[in-house]
Amino acid sequence: MAQFKQYMQRSWKNIKQDLKEEVKQQFDVEFEGHHVTVHTTVAGATLFIDGELVDEVNRPSKLGKLRPSEVVKGEKNGLHVKAKVNGIKTLDCTFYINGKKFIKQKHELNFSMWKHREKIVPALIEAYEKNGTLENFTLPDEGYYYFDEEEHLEPGAYYEVLFSEHEQGYEHGFAKKLLKKVDWLLEKPSDKTRNSIYEDVLDDDFPEYALLFNDMLAELEVDEAALHKEAMWFIEHAAHRYVVDFALLLLGRSTVACDVDLLRVIGRHEEFTAFVAVALHRHGAPAHELLFELAKDTTGYGQQAAILMLEPTTESIRTWLLYDAPLLTESSLALIVAIAQKSALSEALKADSAPRELFARATMMLMCLTESEETVELYNELPEALLDYVRHAKTHITTYEQLYPIAKMAEYLSAYEWDYLIEYTSWQPVESNLVLSGLDAILTSANWQPMIEKAFAEERTMAQAITIARASGAEYMSLVYKKIVNGHFEPYLYAALIAGEDTHLFRAVIDYVEQFELAPLNPLERECIELLIDELSSYDGVGKRLMHHALQLEDELLTFSVLDTLQLWKVSSYLPEFEQELQNIAKTSANRAQRRFAKCLAKGH
């Protein structure tokens, strides 16, 4: 509901702006050497005779501004002038001079969404010619899509929606409707149809069905010259980003040979790189060279979209993907898979030896690729890539500092459901055994305990030390406990304590934390306390004092954590001790679900 309300507020704001610009008109007449001018705005009208203001009328209400209708009149230099302005579909101005009707002028009101707004592509071209870059260039339609105080999305942030296979259910209908309008436009070109299409692709739901529309467009028999002409109309008139995206799809369906320079500029703004990539995709090696150029020259979501669409048509593209394509922590799994596949990572690892640079890149990719079991279904070459990687790792991994990626991969792989993977994916039992045993051999090839203890003593890379200790079988729980009771509120320490399942140490930490009042809490401390309270659901009756303290903070998320934990305890373990607090929550909480939850618990579940 809040989203819909915001959408309506934004729409009304934009309608008012378009209305304001369209009603802003000027009517001029010449009479016996005198110049008479009437200015109209959404707020009223003014009359000038020979450049001097002689009358001004303001509309008294907001409702009145929706229907222009007023009279301005005055006298100067022997002229008696009256002008009447009114209209709904047209804005009419009738001049009466010296008591006689002189002329009636008409202006047809046209509320085209693009008419009074700055056009995007010309602005891009001008900025690029001036600065040689579009980095940090703010699109002129920001005010249309966002309120000033609203958080703005990063350019091209929709790209995952664009390439997502998840459907909302309406995409096919929207795409088909849009295709029919395009077909009709090519058959009978008109501004009315163009405006109708413009309004259809204006909003941010267009990327959700854009590729489906693009596939349908590819099957449509078209006059490519006519289609190109219409594409350029939208390119030239688009004052909204998603209309530019739509125009790029039309260009992609026609020939793009003559539009290379235009696409090069548009694609450099990351809001449009994804759609430029789609437009170029079906146009062979030369188009992919331009796409390769864009992939190298962009850095954010646009770059990720370009890589997804890029085909390794040359050795230079494959080499760049293998060694230089950015591997960002926030990159999607699909992107990492695409880089691994297009760079022929598995093939490169089959060599007898792996250069240090190749091994480092393989390490980065495989850490990402082993994080989820889903990868196996997306990247069939993962088992053989890991087998060859482990073979090279036995040569490359010689120090403690190099051990963390191996430990992380071993941790990921140990959590896999191997029975399912072996039955339904490309994994074979012998491959899984060789990979797991190979990683384990590296992890246990030396006594890493002194290095783990040193990391804790120096308070550096302790999170990595925990992962290495866990994977290699080294002792770390006592080290974690000591850091916690020495005042280190780090969520990864508390998560490690809980994962270690040492009941004695966990209870000791609860006793330690219960010494404090917990107010105020910084974000890290709050996260640590929430981890403890969540884990208390397995310790019936333990940590009551900690939970009392947490409820006193009136923190909504912490309160929910306490309620969730109490729900899993026996009723006798928390009643009547928490009864008063539960009743207070049931009466005073601003969260309706929380009130109901507390009321239920106060009654004994």
Side-chain angles (χ1 to χ4, degrees), residues 39-47 53 55-62 64-65 67-73:
H39 291 286
T40 65
T41 68
V42 74
T46 53
L47 172 66
L53 176 66
D55 194 18
E56 182 175 6
V57 175
N58 294 314
R59 298 196 188 100
S61 68
K62 292 181 179 179
K65 293 176 183 179
R67 186 180 187 278
S69 181
E70 55 271 326
V71 174
V72 286
K73 55 188 177 181

mmCIF file with all atom_site columns, all heavy atoms in Angstrom, residues 39-47 53 55-62 64-65 67-73:
data_model
loop_
_atom_site.group_PDB
_atom_site.id
_atom_site.type_symbol
_atom_site.label_atom_id
_atom_site.label_alt_id
_atom_site.label_comp_id
_atom_site.label_asym_id
_atom_site.label_entity_id
_atom_site.label_seq_id
_atom_site.pdbx_PDB_ins_code
_atom_site.Cartn_x
_atom_site.Cartn_y
_atom_site.Cartn_z
_atom_site.occupancy
_atom_site.B_iso_or_equiv
_atom_site.pdbx_formal_charge
_atom_site.auth_seq_id
_atom_site.auth_comp_id
_atom_site.auth_asym_id
_atom_site.auth_atom_id
_atom_site.pdbx_PDB_model_num
ATOM 1   N N   . HIS A 1 39 ? 0.146   36.396 -21.541 1.00 0.00 ? 39 HIS A N   1
ATOM 2   C CA  . HIS A 1 39 ? 0.869   35.219 -21.046 1.00 0.00 ? 39 HIS A CA  1
ATOM 3   C C   . HIS A 1 39 ? -0.076  34.397 -20.180 1.00 0.00 ? 39 HIS A C   1
ATOM 4   O O   . HIS A 1 39 ? -0.750  34.956 -19.299 1.00 0.00 ? 39 HIS A O   1
ATOM 5   C CB  . HIS A 1 39 ? 2.080   35.632 -20.203 1.00 0.00 ? 39 HIS A CB  1
ATOM 6   C CG  . HIS A 1 39 ? 3.175   36.280 -20.985 1.00 0.00 ? 39 HIS A CG  1
ATOM 7   N ND1 . HIS A 1 39 ? 4.002   35.568 -21.823 1.00 0.00 ? 39 HIS A ND1 1
ATOM 8   C CD2 . HIS A 1 39 ? 3.579   37.586 -21.064 1.00 0.00 ? 39 HIS A CD2 1
ATOM 9   C CE1 . HIS A 1 39 ? 4.872   36.400 -22.384 1.00 0.00 ? 39 HIS A CE1 1
ATOM 10  N NE2 . HIS A 1 39 ? 4.634   37.632 -21.945 1.00 0.00 ? 39 HIS A NE2 1
ATOM 11  N N   . THR A 1 40 ? -0.128  33.090 -20.415 1.00 0.00 ? 40 THR A N   1
ATOM 12  C CA  . THR A 1 40 ? -0.939  32.217 -19.562 1.00 0.00 ? 40 THR A CA  1
ATOM 13  C C   . THR A 1 40 ? -0.027  31.219 -18.857 1.00 0.00 ? 40 THR A C   1
ATOM 14  O O   . THR A 1 40 ? 0.947   30.722 -19.435 1.00 0.00 ? 40 THR A O   1
ATOM 15  C CB  . THR A 1 40 ? -1.988  31.442 -20.383 1.00 0.00 ? 40 THR A CB  1
ATOM 16  O OG1 . THR A 1 40 ? -1.318  30.558 -21.285 1.00 0.00 ? 40 THR A OG1 1
ATOM 17  C CG2 . THR A 1 40 ? -2.874  32.392 -21.159 1.00 0.00 ? 40 THR A CG2 1
ATOM 18  N N   . THR A 1 41 ? -0.337  30.971 -17.619 1.00 0.00 ? 41 THR A N   1
ATOM 19  C CA  . THR A 1 41 ? 0.338   29.930 -16.834 1.00 0.00 ? 41 THR A CA  1
ATOM 20  C C   . THR A 1 41 ? -0.724  29.166 -16.072 1.00 0.00 ? 41 THR A C   1
ATOM 21  O O   . THR A 1 41 ? -1.913  29.549 -16.075 1.00 0.00 ? 41 THR A O   1
ATOM 22  C CB  . THR A 1 41 ? 1.345   30.534 -15.830 1.00 0.00 ? 41 THR A CB  1
ATOM 23  O OG1 . THR A 1 41 ? 0.624   31.246 -14.819 1.00 0.00 ? 41 THR A OG1 1
ATOM 24  C CG2 . THR A 1 41 ? 2.329   31.479 -16.526 1.00 0.00 ? 41 THR A CG2 1
ATOM 25  N N   . VAL A 1 42 ? -0.307  28.121 -15.390 1.00 0.00 ? 42 VAL A N   1
ATOM 26  C CA  . VAL A 1 42 ? -1.259  27.337 -14.612 1.00 0.00 ? 42 VAL A CA  1
ATOM 27  C C   . VAL A 1 42 ? -1.813  28.162 -13.457 1.00 0.00 ? 42 VAL A C   1
ATOM 28  O O   . VAL A 1 42 ? -2.874  27.871 -12.901 1.00 0.00 ? 42 VAL A O   1
ATOM 29  C CB  . VAL A 1 42 ? -0.591  26.039 -14.096 1.00 0.00 ? 42 VAL A CB  1
ATOM 30  C CG1 . VAL A 1 42 ? 0.367   26.332 -12.948 1.00 0.00 ? 42 VAL A CG1 1
ATOM 31  C CG2 . VAL A 1 42 ? -1.638  25.021 -13.656 1.00 0.00 ? 42 VAL A CG2 1
ATOM 32  N N   . ALA A 1 43 ? -1.109  29.236 -13.081 1.00 0.00 ? 43 ALA A N   1
ATOM 33  C CA  . ALA A 1 43 ? -1.548  30.062 -11.953 1.00 0.00 ? 43 ALA A CA  1
ATOM 34  C C   . ALA A 1 43 ? -2.461  31.204 -12.372 1.00 0.00 ? 43 ALA A C   1
ATOM 35  O O   . ALA A 1 43 ? -3.156  31.786 -11.537 1.00 0.00 ? 43 ALA A O   1
ATOM 36  C CB  . ALA A 1 43 ? -0.335  30.624 -11.214 1.00 0.00 ? 43 ALA A CB  1
ATOM 37  N N   . GLY A 1 44 ? -2.482  31.576 -13.665 1.00 0.00 ? 44 GLY A N   1
ATOM 38  C CA  . GLY A 1 44 ? -3.317  32.693 -14.082 1.00 0.00 ? 44 GLY A CA  1
ATOM 39  C C   . GLY A 1 44 ? -2.895  33.241 -15.431 1.00 0.00 ? 44 GLY A C   1
ATOM 40  O O   . GLY A 1 44 ? -2.334  32.535 -16.267 1.00 0.00 ? 44 GLY A O   1
ATOM 41  N N   . ALA A 1 45 ? -3.154  34.563 -15.650 1.00 0.00 ? 45 ALA A N   1
ATOM 42  C CA  . ALA A 1 45 ? -2.828  35.189 -16.936 1.00 0.00 ? 45 ALA A CA  1
ATOM 43  C C   . ALA A 1 45 ? -2.411  36.636 -16.698 1.00 0.00 ? 45 ALA A C   1
ATOM 44  O O   . ALA A 1 45 ? -2.796  37.266 -15.710 1.00 0.00 ? 45 ALA A O   1
ATOM 45  C CB  . ALA A 1 45 ? -4.026  35.130 -17.879 1.00 0.00 ? 45 ALA A CB  1
ATOM 46  N N   . THR A 1 46 ? -1.613  37.165 -17.633 1.00 0.00 ? 46 THR A N   1
ATOM 47  C CA  . THR A 1 46 ? -1.156  38.560 -17.569 1.00 0.00 ? 46 THR A CA  1
ATOM 48  C C   . THR A 1 46 ? -1.323  39.203 -18.935 1.00 0.00 ? 46 THR A C   1
ATOM 49  O O   . THR A 1 46 ? -1.209  38.545 -19.972 1.00 0.00 ? 46 THR A O   1
ATOM 50  C CB  . THR A 1 46 ? 0.319   38.647 -17.136 1.00 0.00 ? 46 THR A CB  1
ATOM 51  O OG1 . THR A 1 46 ? 1.112   37.815 -17.995 1.00 0.00 ? 46 THR A OG1 1
ATOM 52  C CG2 . THR A 1 46 ? 0.507   38.200 -15.696 1.00 0.00 ? 46 THR A CG2 1
ATOM 53  N N   . LEU A 1 47 ? -1.586  40.527 -18.920 1.00 0.00 ? 47 LEU A N   1
ATOM 54  C CA  . LEU A 1 47 ? -1.779  41.285 -20.147 1.00 0.00 ? 47 LEU A CA  1
ATOM 55  C C   . LEU A 1 47 ? -0.722  42.388 -20.228 1.00 0.00 ? 47 LEU A C   1
ATOM 56  O O   . LEU A 1 47 ? -0.523  43.140 -19.269 1.00 0.00 ? 47 LEU A O   1
ATOM 57  C CB  . LEU A 1 47 ? -3.183  41.923 -20.168 1.00 0.00 ? 47 LEU A CB  1
ATOM 58  C CG  . LEU A 1 47 ? -3.477  42.914 -21.295 1.00 0.00 ? 47 LEU A CG  1
ATOM 59  C CD1 . LEU A 1 47 ? -3.467  42.214 -22.657 1.00 0.00 ? 47 LEU A CD1 1
ATOM 60  C CD2 . LEU A 1 47 ? -4.827  43.606 -21.053 1.00 0.00 ? 47 LEU A CD2 1
ATOM 61  N N   . LEU A 1 53 ? 3.107   45.818 -18.268 1.00 0.00 ? 53 LEU A N   1
ATOM 62  C CA  . LEU A 1 53 ? 2.072   45.020 -17.610 1.00 0.00 ? 53 LEU A CA  1
ATOM 63  C C   . LEU A 1 53 ? 0.908   45.924 -17.221 1.00 0.00 ? 53 LEU A C   1
ATOM 64  O O   . LEU A 1 53 ? 1.081   46.920 -16.507 1.00 0.00 ? 53 LEU A O   1
ATOM 65  C CB  . LEU A 1 53 ? 2.641   44.352 -16.355 1.00 0.00 ? 53 LEU A CB  1
ATOM 66  C CG  . LEU A 1 53 ? 1.649   43.550 -15.511 1.00 0.00 ? 53 LEU A CG  1
ATOM 67  C CD1 . LEU A 1 53 ? 1.151   42.324 -16.279 1.00 0.00 ? 53 LEU A CD1 1
ATOM 68  C CD2 . LEU A 1 53 ? 2.299   43.109 -14.192 1.00 0.00 ? 53 LEU A CD2 1
ATOM 69  N N   . ASP A 1 55 ? -2.448  44.281 -16.574 1.00 0.00 ? 55 ASP A N   1
ATOM 70  C CA  . ASP A 1 55 ? -3.413  43.516 -15.771 1.00 0.00 ? 55 ASP A CA  1
ATOM 71  C C   . ASP A 1 55 ? -2.849  42.130 -15.491 1.00 0.00 ? 55 ASP A C   1
ATOM 72  O O   . ASP A 1 55 ? -2.083  41.567 -16.286 1.00 0.00 ? 55 ASP A O   1
ATOM 73  C CB  . ASP A 1 55 ? -4.756  43.380 -16.490 1.00 0.00 ? 55 ASP A CB  1
ATOM 74  C CG  . ASP A 1 55 ? -5.879  42.898 -15.558 1.00 0.00 ? 55 ASP A CG  1
ATOM 75  O OD1 . ASP A 1 55 ? -5.694  43.001 -14.319 1.00 0.00 ? 55 ASP A OD1 1
ATOM 76  O OD2 . ASP A 1 55 ? -6.902  42.417 -16.062 1.00 0.00 ? 55 ASP A OD2 1
ATOM 77  N N   . GLU A 1 56 ? -3.252  41.593 -14.342 1.00 0.00 ? 56 GLU A N   1
ATOM 78  C CA  . GLU A 1 56 ? -2.817  40.250 -13.939 1.00 0.00 ? 56 GLU A CA  1
ATOM 79  C C   . GLU A 1 56 ? -3.939  39.596 -13.142 1.00 0.00 ? 56 GLU A C   1
ATOM 80  O O   . GLU A 1 56 ? -4.526  40.213 -12.249 1.00 0.00 ? 56 GLU A O   1
ATOM 81  C CB  . GLU A 1 56 ? -1.549  40.326 -13.085 1.00 0.00 ? 56 GLU A CB  1
ATOM 82  C CG  . GLU A 1 56 ? -1.012  38.977 -12.664 1.00 0.00 ? 56 GLU A CG  1
ATOM 83  C CD  . GLU A 1 56 ? 0.309   39.083 -11.914 1.00 0.00 ? 56 GLU A CD  1
ATOM 84  O OE1 . GLU A 1 56 ? 0.734   40.232 -11.634 1.00 0.00 ? 56 GLU A OE1 1
ATOM 85  O OE2 . GLU A 1 56 ? 0.901   38.027 -11.609 1.00 0.00 ? 56 GLU A OE2 1
ATOM 86  N N   . VAL A 1 57 ? -4.260  38.353 -13.506 1.00 0.00 ? 57 VAL A N   1
ATOM 87  C CA  . VAL A 1 57 ? -5.322  37.605 -12.830 1.00 0.00 ? 57 VAL A CA  1
ATOM 88  C C   . VAL A 1 57 ? -4.749  36.279 -12.345 1.00 0.00 ? 57 VAL A C   1
ATOM 89  O O   . VAL A 1 57 ? -4.121  35.540 -13.114 1.00 0.00 ? 57 VAL A O   1
ATOM 90  C CB  . VAL A 1 57 ? -6.518  37.338 -13.769 1.00 0.00 ? 57 VAL A CB  1
ATOM 91  C CG1 . VAL A 1 57 ? -7.555  36.460 -13.066 1.00 0.00 ? 57 VAL A CG1 1
ATOM 92  C CG2 . VAL A 1 57 ? -7.145  38.647 -14.207 1.00 0.00 ? 57 VAL A CG2 1
ATOM 93  N N   . ASN A 1 58 ? -4.960  35.982 -11.070 1.00 0.00 ? 58 ASN A N   1
ATOM 94  C CA  . ASN A 1 58 ? -4.528  34.705 -10.489 1.00 0.00 ? 58 ASN A CA  1
ATOM 95  C C   . ASN A 1 58 ? -5.740  33.856 -10.162 1.00 0.00 ? 58 ASN A C   1
ATOM 96  O O   . ASN A 1 58 ? -6.751  34.363 -9.661  1.00 0.00 ? 58 ASN A O   1
ATOM 97  C CB  . ASN A 1 58 ? -3.719  34.942 -9.214  1.00 0.00 ? 58 ASN A CB  1
ATOM 98  C CG  . ASN A 1 58 ? -2.413  35.651 -9.494  1.00 0.00 ? 58 ASN A CG  1
ATOM 99  O OD1 . ASN A 1 58 ? -1.697  35.285 -10.424 1.00 0.00 ? 58 ASN A OD1 1
ATOM 100 N ND2 . ASN A 1 58 ? -2.116  36.695 -8.731  1.00 0.00 ? 58 ASN A ND2 1
ATOM 101 N N   . ARG A 1 59 ? -5.630  32.588 -10.445 1.00 0.00 ? 59 ARG A N   1
ATOM 102 C CA  . ARG A 1 59 ? -6.728  31.682 -10.126 1.00 0.00 ? 59 ARG A CA  1
ATOM 103 C C   . ARG A 1 59 ? -6.776  31.450 -8.624  1.00 0.00 ? 59 ARG A C   1
ATOM 104 O O   . ARG A 1 59 ? -5.743  31.218 -7.983  1.00 0.00 ? 59 ARG A O   1
ATOM 105 C CB  . ARG A 1 59 ? -6.567  30.348 -10.860 1.00 0.00 ? 59 ARG A CB  1
ATOM 106 C CG  . ARG A 1 59 ? -6.609  30.529 -12.365 1.00 0.00 ? 59 ARG A CG  1
ATOM 107 C CD  . ARG A 1 59 ? -6.843  29.214 -13.090 1.00 0.00 ? 59 ARG A CD  1
ATOM 108 N NE  . ARG A 1 59 ? -6.686  29.459 -14.521 1.00 0.00 ? 59 ARG A NE  1
ATOM 109 C CZ  . ARG A 1 59 ? -5.593  29.162 -15.209 1.00 0.00 ? 59 ARG A CZ  1
ATOM 110 N NH1 . ARG A 1 59 ? -4.601  28.577 -14.607 1.00 0.00 ? 59 ARG A NH1 1
ATOM 111 N NH2 . ARG A 1 59 ? -5.510  29.437 -16.483 1.00 0.00 ? 59 ARG A NH2 1
ATOM 112 N N   . PRO A 1 60 ? -7.952  31.453 -8.033  1.00 0.00 ? 60 PRO A N   1
ATOM 113 C CA  . PRO A 1 60 ? -8.059  31.426 -6.572  1.00 0.00 ? 60 PRO A CA  1
ATOM 114 C C   . PRO A 1 60 ? -7.874  30.059 -5.934  1.00 0.00 ? 60 PRO A C   1
ATOM 115 O O   . PRO A 1 60 ? -7.635  29.973 -4.745  1.00 0.00 ? 60 PRO A O   1
ATOM 116 C CB  . PRO A 1 60 ? -9.483  31.936 -6.325  1.00 0.00 ? 60 PRO A CB  1
ATOM 117 C CG  . PRO A 1 60 ? -10.241 31.500 -7.553  1.00 0.00 ? 60 PRO A CG  1
ATOM 118 C CD  . PRO A 1 60 ? -9.268  31.606 -8.690  1.00 0.00 ? 60 PRO A CD  1
ATOM 119 N N   . SER A 1 61 ? -8.007  28.984 -6.704  1.00 0.00 ? 61 SER A N   1
ATOM 120 C CA  . SER A 1 61 ? -7.974  27.656 -6.074  1.00 0.00 ? 61 SER A CA  1
ATOM 121 C C   . SER A 1 61 ? -7.215  26.671 -6.935  1.00 0.00 ? 61 SER A C   1
ATOM 122 O O   . SER A 1 61 ? -7.031  26.865 -8.132  1.00 0.00 ? 61 SER A O   1
ATOM 123 C CB  . SER A 1 61 ? -9.399  27.140 -5.859  1.00 0.00 ? 61 SER A CB  1
ATOM 124 O OG  . SER A 1 61 ? -10.015 26.874 -7.111  1.00 0.00 ? 61 SER A OG  1
ATOM 125 N N   . LYS A 1 62 ? -6.789  25.570 -6.296  1.00 0.00 ? 62 LYS A N   1
ATOM 126 C CA  . LYS A 1 62 ? -6.120  24.511 -7.035  1.00 0.00 ? 62 LYS A CA  1
ATOM 127 C C   . LYS A 1 62 ? -7.062  23.885 -8.045  1.00 0.00 ? 62 LYS A C   1
ATOM 128 O O   . LYS A 1 62 ? -6.662  23.511 -9.146  1.00 0.00 ? 62 LYS A O   1
ATOM 129 C CB  . LYS A 1 62 ? -5.611  23.447 -6.063  1.00 0.00 ? 62 LYS A CB  1
ATOM 130 C CG  . LYS A 1 62 ? -4.477  23.924 -5.172  1.00 0.00 ? 62 LYS A CG  1
ATOM 131 C CD  . LYS A 1 62 ? -4.005  22.808 -4.255  1.00 0.00 ? 62 LYS A CD  1
ATOM 132 C CE  . LYS A 1 62 ? -2.859  23.282 -3.375  1.00 0.00 ? 62 LYS A CE  1
ATOM 133 N NZ  . LYS A 1 62 ? -2.396  22.213 -2.451  1.00 0.00 ? 62 LYS A NZ  1
ATOM 134 N N   . GLY A 1 64 ? -9.446  25.362 -9.622  1.00 0.00 ? 64 GLY A N   1
ATOM 135 C CA  . GLY A 1 64 ? -9.594  26.279 -10.743 1.00 0.00 ? 64 GLY A CA  1
ATOM 136 C C   . GLY A 1 64 ? -8.473  26.181 -11.738 1.00 0.00 ? 64 GLY A C   1
ATOM 137 O O   . GLY A 1 64 ? -8.619  26.507 -12.911 1.00 0.00 ? 64 GLY A O   1
ATOM 138 N N   . LYS A 1 65 ? -7.297  25.742 -11.276 1.00 0.00 ? 65 LYS A N   1
ATOM 139 C CA  . LYS A 1 65 ? -6.135  25.649 -12.156 1.00 0.00 ? 65 LYS A CA  1
ATOM 140 C C   . LYS A 1 65 ? -6.273  24.521 -13.172 1.00 0.00 ? 65 LYS A C   1
ATOM 141 O O   . LYS A 1 65 ? -5.536  24.463 -14.143 1.00 0.00 ? 65 LYS A O   1
ATOM 142 C CB  . LYS A 1 65 ? -4.875  25.442 -11.319 1.00 0.00 ? 65 LYS A CB  1
ATOM 143 C CG  . LYS A 1 65 ? -4.540  26.655 -10.455 1.00 0.00 ? 65 LYS A CG  1
ATOM 144 C CD  . LYS A 1 65 ? -3.339  26.386 -9.571  1.00 0.00 ? 65 LYS A CD  1
ATOM 145 C CE  . LYS A 1 65 ? -3.061  27.579 -8.661  1.00 0.00 ? 65 LYS A CE  1
ATOM 146 N NZ  . LYS A 1 65 ? -1.907  27.354 -7.775  1.00 0.00 ? 65 LYS A NZ  1
ATOM 147 N N   . ARG A 1 67 ? -8.859  24.008 -15.050 1.00 0.00 ? 67 ARG A N   1
ATOM 148 C CA  . ARG A 1 67 ? -9.588  24.480 -16.235 1.00 0.00 ? 67 ARG A CA  1
ATOM 149 C C   . ARG A 1 67 ? -9.307  25.965 -16.436 1.00 0.00 ? 67 ARG A C   1
ATOM 150 O O   . ARG A 1 67 ? -9.903  26.811 -15.778 1.00 0.00 ? 67 ARG A O   1
ATOM 151 C CB  . ARG A 1 67 ? -11.091 24.265 -16.080 1.00 0.00 ? 67 ARG A CB  1
ATOM 152 C CG  . ARG A 1 67 ? -11.874 24.614 -17.358 1.00 0.00 ? 67 ARG A CG  1
ATOM 153 C CD  . ARG A 1 67 ? -13.369 24.382 -17.161 1.00 0.00 ? 67 ARG A CD  1
ATOM 154 N NE  . ARG A 1 67 ? -14.091 24.561 -18.398 1.00 0.00 ? 67 ARG A NE  1
ATOM 155 C CZ  . ARG A 1 67 ? -14.474 25.731 -18.881 1.00 0.00 ? 67 ARG A CZ  1
ATOM 156 N NH1 . ARG A 1 67 ? -14.183 26.836 -18.226 1.00 0.00 ? 67 ARG A NH1 1
ATOM 157 N NH2 . ARG A 1 67 ? -15.148 25.797 -20.033 1.00 0.00 ? 67 ARG A NH2 1
ATOM 158 N N   . PRO A 1 68 ? -8.353  26.287 -17.325 1.00 0.00 ? 68 PRO A N   1
ATOM 159 C CA  . PRO A 1 68 ? -8.013  27.694 -17.551 1.00 0.00 ? 68 PRO A CA  1
ATOM 160 C C   . PRO A 1 68 ? -9.237  28.492 -18.023 1.00 0.00 ? 68 PRO A C   1
ATOM 161 O O   . PRO A 1 68 ? -9.871  28.127 -19.011 1.00 0.00 ? 68 PRO A O   1
ATOM 162 C CB  . PRO A 1 68 ? -6.943  27.638 -18.637 1.00 0.00 ? 68 PRO A CB  1
ATOM 163 C CG  . PRO A 1 68 ? -6.423  26.227 -18.587 1.00 0.00 ? 68 PRO A CG  1
ATOM 164 C CD  . PRO A 1 68 ? -7.579  25.385 -18.163 1.00 0.00 ? 68 PRO A CD  1
ATOM 165 N N   . SER A 1 69 ? -9.570  29.551 -17.296 1.00 0.00 ? 69 SER A N   1
ATOM 166 C CA  . SER A 1 69 ? -10.676 30.421 -17.714 1.00 0.00 ? 69 SER A CA  1
ATOM 167 C C   . SER A 1 69 ? -10.576 31.727 -16.939 1.00 0.00 ? 69 SER A C   1
ATOM 168 O O   . SER A 1 69 ? -10.875 31.769 -15.744 1.00 0.00 ? 69 SER A O   1
ATOM 169 C CB  . SER A 1 69 ? -12.029 29.752 -17.435 1.00 0.00 ? 69 SER A CB  1
ATOM 170 O OG  . SER A 1 69 ? -13.074 30.600 -17.860 1.00 0.00 ? 69 SER A OG  1
ATOM 171 N N   . GLU A 1 70 ? -10.145 32.805 -17.616 1.00 0.00 ? 70 GLU A N   1
ATOM 172 C CA  . GLU A 1 70 ? -10.067 34.095 -16.964 1.00 0.00 ? 70 GLU A CA  1
ATOM 173 C C   . GLU A 1 70 ? -10.080 35.214 -18.015 1.00 0.00 ? 70 GLU A C   1
ATOM 174 O O   . GLU A 1 70 ? -9.884  34.962 -19.199 1.00 0.00 ? 70 GLU A O   1
ATOM 175 C CB  . GLU A 1 70 ? -8.820  34.234 -16.087 1.00 0.00 ? 70 GLU A CB  1
ATOM 176 C CG  . GLU A 1 70 ? -7.517  33.976 -16.780 1.00 0.00 ? 70 GLU A CG  1
ATOM 177 C CD  . GLU A 1 70 ? -7.114  32.523 -16.725 1.00 0.00 ? 70 GLU A CD  1
ATOM 178 O OE1 . GLU A 1 70 ? -7.396  31.863 -15.731 1.00 0.00 ? 70 GLU A OE1 1
ATOM 179 O OE2 . GLU A 1 70 ? -6.529  32.041 -17.705 1.00 0.00 ? 70 GLU A OE2 1
ATOM 180 N N   . VAL A 1 71 ? -10.291 36.414 -17.509 1.00 0.00 ? 71 VAL A N   1
ATOM 181 C CA  . VAL A 1 71 ? -10.332 37.601 -18.370 1.00 0.00 ? 71 VAL A CA  1
ATOM 182 C C   . VAL A 1 71 ? -9.326  38.610 -17.828 1.00 0.00 ? 71 VAL A C   1
ATOM 183 O O   . VAL A 1 71 ? -9.291  38.885 -16.621 1.00 0.00 ? 71 VAL A O   1
ATOM 184 C CB  . VAL A 1 71 ? -11.733 38.232 -18.401 1.00 0.00 ? 71 VAL A CB  1
ATOM 185 C CG1 . VAL A 1 71 ? -11.711 39.551 -19.172 1.00 0.00 ? 71 VAL A CG1 1
ATOM 186 C CG2 . VAL A 1 71 ? -12.733 37.281 -19.012 1.00 0.00 ? 71 VAL A CG2 1
ATOM 187 N N   . VAL A 1 72 ? -8.493  39.140 -18.727 1.00 0.00 ? 72 VAL A N   1
ATOM 188 C CA  . VAL A 1 72 ? -7.583  40.224 -18.357 1.00 0.00 ? 72 VAL A CA  1
ATOM 189 C C   . VAL A 1 72 ? -7.923  41.425 -19.240 1.00 0.00 ? 72 VAL A C   1
ATOM 190 O O   . VAL A 1 72 ? -8.275  41.271 -20.418 1.00 0.00 ? 72 VAL A O   1
ATOM 191 C CB  . VAL A 1 72 ? -6.099  39.816 -18.538 1.00 0.00 ? 72 VAL A CB  1
ATOM 192 C CG1 . VAL A 1 72 ? -5.670  38.865 -17.447 1.00 0.00 ? 72 VAL A CG1 1
ATOM 193 C CG2 . VAL A 1 72 ? -5.853  39.197 -19.914 1.00 0.00 ? 72 VAL A CG2 1
ATOM 194 N N   . LYS A 1 73 ? -7.839  42.623 -18.654 1.00 0.00 ? 73 LYS A N   1
ATOM 195 C CA  . LYS A 1 73 ? -8.209  43.803 -19.434 1.00 0.00 ? 73 LYS A CA  1
ATOM 196 C C   . LYS A 1 73 ? -7.447  45.019 -18.919 1.00 0.00 ? 73 LYS A C   1
ATOM 197 O O   . LYS A 1 73 ? -6.983  45.053 -17.765 1.00 0.00 ? 73 LYS A O   1
ATOM 198 C CB  . LYS A 1 73 ? -9.706  44.052 -19.387 1.00 0.00 ? 73 LYS A CB  1
ATOM 199 C CG  . LYS A 1 73 ? -10.277 44.158 -17.982 1.00 0.00 ? 73 LYS A CG  1
ATOM 200 C CD  . LYS A 1 73 ? -11.796 44.209 -18.040 1.00 0.00 ? 73 LYS A CD  1
ATOM 201 C CE  . LYS A 1 73 ? -12.387 44.234 -16.628 1.00 0.00 ? 73 LYS A CE  1
ATOM 202 N NZ  . LYS A 1 73 ? -13.869 44.263 -16.653 1.00 0.00 ? 73 LYS A NZ  1
#
